[in-house]
């Protein structure tokens, strides 16, 4: 076994770099960040397709402890977000901790030594605690299509864009109509000979109010940092007020549907095409997409919409489920990621000798989105039921970093060598509460099938409340939800940390700004 560290962080996107910053703020410097790629950035490194940008406003899609007064646009592009993450790594002195090209192949809990043994592509190491920040949007998903392997042209996923392949003058098929596809289509439409979009389910699309941020605005935010903080607070507050419509009163979203239809009608004059593009489910059931260029691109003469999924490939001919045939030189899959069946779960072996994937075979479950029963001293950032349908995931990440810090402080307070394991009863109680609240949300009642749902039709991805509620629910680690695990020779012993809880509630909704961290350094 090689190096031993206090904490091993897996992944260097927002979650991993945020964890590294928080560890240093907690006075912990004995940690590493294991990254399988050759640079930091996570999903904003991997997704470099044409038109790639964020659908959350820039000043909200950044760390509260690392404000950036120089965002160039209200909705930042991929290159600007990636540059921001690189700058965070530099500003907070994270580079010495980052191990690039270290893909984690296996993590196994050693019950005798009370530590994690980690095998990577560059050797082995061990850690007292593992923080998995691989993210839900890290492993592309390409559906199994008969004949695809024999397609003579170019095939790639949006998250693995082949920049060496020239699309100009080509017949290009885009598979899928999710967040990536609606950015790719208008970006490549002017240069391809023919673009065919295969749509299984149309998305709801609203205009994207994007604009350049003026030099005067940026100077104001640099000179008077509180103005940037106020801008962030306003963006956050508006989205907190929207949550009730998604979680408690989906019928209130009818007005938003009318606005979305008006947006479509403005760009799409052909009634037959509008009919194909009009969803039959309640807006919000799938993520509402933002684009002011998508519909105009679909109306161009070199674009065809096939309102049916790709079913088969015969040579260079793509055959849709409705029998429509299309000739193509290249196929681009915008078909999303392994979200409810994260591949990293296959590589985590817990105290009982089973993988996390086996433990989650009936659906992902964790305590407060962070810890899993049977996997001591292991936690995840952006875990089950921590996703959002209308706001910034950075808010949720920072809440989970608070929980991570509390967890480590609780470990340090224990006498002797020990570990903390989530009680199964606490995990089940928390998830029961979450799923009960989920029943009346638009994601469960809106009449769609989305990537939010697992193979059992259970929503294991979205948080059914406000970010304020989640911040409060993860503010402190309740030891009564954990057992203290100690090693005693070949036998493992456990002791009660507190009275076992049978319920876990997030509390009533609030619309007050989440408490901000006190880090003074800014990224410029």
């Amino acid at each position: 076994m090689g190096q031993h560290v206090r904490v091993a962080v897996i992944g260097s996107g927002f979650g991993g770099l945020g964890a590294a910053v928080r560890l240093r703020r907690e006075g912990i410097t004995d940690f590493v960040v294991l990254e399988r790629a050759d640079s930091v950035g996570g999903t904003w490194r991997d997704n470099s397709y044409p038109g790639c940008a964020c659908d959350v406003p820039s000043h909200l899609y950044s760390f509260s402890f690392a404000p950036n007064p120089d965002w160039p646009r209200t909705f930042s592009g991929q290159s600007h977000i990636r540059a921001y993450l690189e700058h965070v790594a530099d500003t907070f002195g994270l580079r010495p901790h980052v191990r690039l090209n270290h893909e984690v192949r296996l993590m196994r809990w050693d019950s005798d030594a009370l530590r994690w043994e980690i095998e990577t592509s560059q050797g082995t190491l061990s850690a007292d605690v593992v923080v998995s920040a691989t993210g839900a949007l890290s492993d592309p998903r390409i559906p199994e299509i008969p004949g695809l392997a024999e397609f003579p042209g170019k095939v790639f996923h949006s998250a693995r864009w082949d920049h060496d392949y020239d699309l100009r003058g080509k017949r290009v098929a885009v598979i899928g109509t999710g967040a990536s596809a609606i950015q790719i289509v208008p970006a490549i439409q002017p240069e391809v000979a023919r673009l065919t979009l295969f749509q299984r389910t149309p998305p709801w699309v609203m205009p994207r109010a994007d604009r350049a941020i003026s030099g005067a605005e940026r100077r104001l935010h640099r000179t008077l940092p509180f103005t940037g903080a106020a801008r962030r607070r306003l963006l956050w507050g508006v989205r907190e007020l929207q949550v009730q419509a998604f979680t408690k009163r989906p019928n209130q979203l009818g007005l938003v549907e009318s606005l979305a239809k008006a947006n479509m009608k403005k760009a799409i004059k052909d009634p037959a095409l509008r009919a194909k593009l009009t969803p039959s489910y309640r807006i919000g059931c799938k993520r509402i997409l933002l684009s002011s260029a998508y519909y105009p691109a679909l109306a161009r003469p070199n674009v065809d919409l096939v309102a049916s999924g790709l079913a088969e490939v015969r040579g260079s001919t793509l055959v849709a489920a409705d029998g429509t045939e299309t000739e193509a030189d290249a196929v681009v899959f915008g078909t999303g990621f392994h979200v409810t069946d994260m591949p990293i779960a296959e590589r985590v072996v817990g105290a009982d000798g089973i993988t996390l994937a086996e433990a989650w075979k009936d659906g992902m479950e964790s305590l407060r989105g962070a810890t899993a029963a049977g996997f001591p001293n292991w936690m995840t950032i952006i875990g089950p039921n921590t996703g959002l349908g209308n706001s910034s995931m950075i808010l949720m990440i920072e809440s989970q970093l608070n929980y991570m810090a509390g967890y480590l402080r609780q470990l340090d307070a224990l006498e002797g060598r020990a570990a903390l394991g989530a009680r199964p009863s606490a995990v089940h109680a928390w998830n029961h509460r979450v799923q009960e609240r989920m029943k009346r949300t638009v994601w469960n009642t809106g009449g769609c099938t989305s990537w939010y749902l697992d193979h059992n039709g259970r929503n294991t991805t979205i948080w059914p409340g406000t970010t304020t509620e989640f911040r409060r629910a993860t503010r402190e680690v309740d030891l009564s939800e954990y057992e203290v695990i100690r090693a005693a020779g070949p036998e493992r012993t456990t002791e009660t940390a507190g009275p076992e809880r049978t319920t876990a509630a997030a509390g009533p909704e609030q619309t007050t700004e989440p408490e901000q961290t006190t880090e003074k350094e800014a990224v410029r």
Side-chain angles (χ1 to χ4, degrees):
M1 183 61 66
Q3 178 186 10
H4 179 78
V5 293
R6 174 66 169 151
V7 181
V9 179
I10 317 300
S12 66
F14 268 99
L17 295 182
V21 172
R22 189 57 185 266
L23 288 170
R24 289 183 61 90
R25 290 184 58 207
E26 293 292 316
I28 299 172
T29 57
D30 183 18
F31 70 91
V32 294
V33 179
L34 302 174
E35 170 55 56
R36 67 183 177 184
D38 59 4
S39 61
V40 302
T43 192
W44 294 105
R45 173 201 59 236
D46 296 341
N47 288 269
S48 59
Y49 57 79
C52 183
C54 189
D55 60 0
V56 174
S58 302
H59 288 84
L60 192 59
Y61 199 77
S62 49
F63 291 121
S64 66
F65 54 78
N68 179 14
D70 287 317
W71 289 116
R73 303 195 66 83
T74 52
F75 290 86
S76 291
Q78 175 264 343
S79 62
H80 300 122
I81 298 174
R82 183 178 181 184
Y84 170 80
L85 289 170
E86 294 276 3
H87 208 157
V88 166
D90 291 331
T91 300
F92 291 95
L94 306 182
R95 300 287 184 186
H97 300 278
V98 177
R99 305 289 183 266
L100 300 176
N101 299 306
H102 276 62
E103 180 176 7
V104 172
R105 293 175 174 169
L106 184 68
M107 292 176 275
R108 184 182 297 275
W109 175 250
D110 185 333
S111 296
D112 295 332
L114 295 184
R115 67 185 188 184
W116 285 94
E117 297 176 354
I118 305 170
E119 297 178 16
T120 79
S121 56
Q122 300 292 329
T124 61
L125 70 152
S126 60
D128 294 332
V129 177
V130 167
V131 177
S132 180
T134 58
L137 308 182
S138 57
D139 291 281
R141 185 182 65 84
I142 294 181
E144 294 184 5
I145 306 293
L148 181 62
E150 285 73 48
F151 179 71
K154 192 70 178 178
V155 177
F156 52 87
H157 190 278
S158 59
R160 300 292 185 266
W161 196 270
D162 189 340
H163 291 278
D164 294 329
Y165 184 76
D166 191 355
L167 292 176
R168 287 178 296 182
K170 301 292 197 309
R171 298 168 299 177
V172 180
V174 176
I175 315 301
T177 51
S180 299
I182 72 157
Q183 294 179 346
I184 292 169
V185 167
I188 68 173
Q189 173 271 321
E191 63 184 40
V192 303
R194 197 86 203 160
L195 193 157
T196 304
L197 178 63
F198 284 77
Q199 168 192 276
R200 285 195 308 172
T201 307
W204 285 104
V205 181
M206 295 288 287
R208 189 164 177 260
D210 186 29
R211 65 172 179 82
I213 297 177
S214 68
E217 289 175 275
R218 284 180 273 170
R219 284 192 297 274
L220 178 66
H221 294 331
R222 281 197 303 271
T223 306
L224 302 172
F226 74 87
T227 61
R231 184 175 191 160
R232 175 187 174 92
R233 187 182 294 261
L234 176 62
L235 292 167
W236 165 82
V238 169
R239 282 155 181 78
E240 289 288 271
L241 293 174
Q242 295 171 346
V243 170
Q244 279 205 359
F246 288 87
T247 60
K248 294 182 178 180
R249 302 181 181 91
N251 289 334
Q252 291 182 346
L253 293 166
L255 175 60
V256 185
E257 283 185 11
S258 299
L259 296 174
K261 288 178 180 178
N263 175 52
M264 183 196 305
K265 189 173 183 179
K266 181 179 179 181
I268 305 295
K269 304 304 181 183
D270 180 2
L273 181 56
R274 278 205 308 272
K276 291 180 181 180
L277 292 171
T278 302
S280 60
Y281 56 88
R282 173 64 74 192
I283 194 170
C285 185
K286 290 174 176 280
R287 189 176 179 95
I288 301 172
L289 305 182
L290 303 180
S291 176
S292 298
Y294 178 62
Y295 287 143
L298 293 183
R300 302 300 298 169
N302 68 329
V303 178
D304 295 313
L305 176 71
V306 177
S308 182
L310 178 61
E312 184 183 357
V313 178
R314 300 172 189 160
S316 60
T317 303
L318 309 184
V319 184
D322 65 0
T324 303
E325 295 186 0
T326 302
E327 294 293 316
D329 302 307
V331 179
V332 177
F333 282 92
T335 46
F337 301 85
H338 289 276
V339 177
T340 60
D341 58 341
M342 293 184 290
I344 191 66
E346 297 277 1
R347 307 181 186 192
V348 185
V349 181
D352 298 324
I354 65 172
T355 66
L356 186 61
E358 291 170 320
W360 282 352
K361 66 181 185 300
D362 295 324
M364 298 190 299
E365 262 195 355
S366 66
L367 176 57
R368 302 180 187 271
T371 55
F375 297 82
N377 284 12
W378 181 92
M379 59 175 45
T380 181
I381 307 296
I382 312 183
N385 290 114
T386 60
L388 296 176
N390 75 313
S391 192
S392 172
M393 280 303 301
I394 313 307
L395 299 170
M396 302 295 279
I397 288 172
E398 290 196 25
S399 292
Q400 291 200 289
L401 299 182
N402 288 342
Y403 196 77
M404 176 196 74
Y407 187 95
L408 291 169
R409 286 194 293 268
Q410 293 283 17
L411 272 178
D412 288 340
L414 296 174
E415 294 183 4
R417 187 160 183 78
L420 286 175
R423 294 181 181 278
S425 58
V427 174
H428 296 327
W430 171 259
N431 283 276
H432 175 73
R433 172 71 182 222
V434 168
Q435 292 303 321
E436 283 298 306
R437 294 185 61 180
M438 195 72 71
K439 288 180 179 178
R440 58 180 175 176
T441 67
V442 70
W443 307 298
N444 279 36
T445 65
C448 72
T449 300
S450 72
W451 58 265
Y452 299 152
L453 309 179
D454 64 16
H455 63 281
N456 294 317
R458 187 163 165 261
N459 193 327
T460 59
T461 57
I462 297 294
W463 169 245
T466 65
T467 62
T468 303
E469 289 178 288
F470 191 75
R471 174 64 64 100
R472 185 169 57 250
T474 53
R475 182 169 292 161
E476 296 179 351
V477 172
D478 184 350
L479 269 184
S480 69
E481 296 181 327
Y482 289 88
E483 61 179 9
V484 177
I485 303 169
R486 299 184 185 277
E491 299 295 328
R492 188 187 75 177
T493 63
T494 62
E495 57 189 67
T496 301
E500 196 166 334
R501 293 164 61 108
T502 56
T503 60
E509 285 195 15
Q510 293 183 1
T511 53
T512 54
E513 169 75 8
E515 58 186 293
Q516 300 295 303
T517 52
T518 57
E519 183 64 57
K520 300 299 183 183
E521 296 183 77
V523 175
R524 292 187 172 87

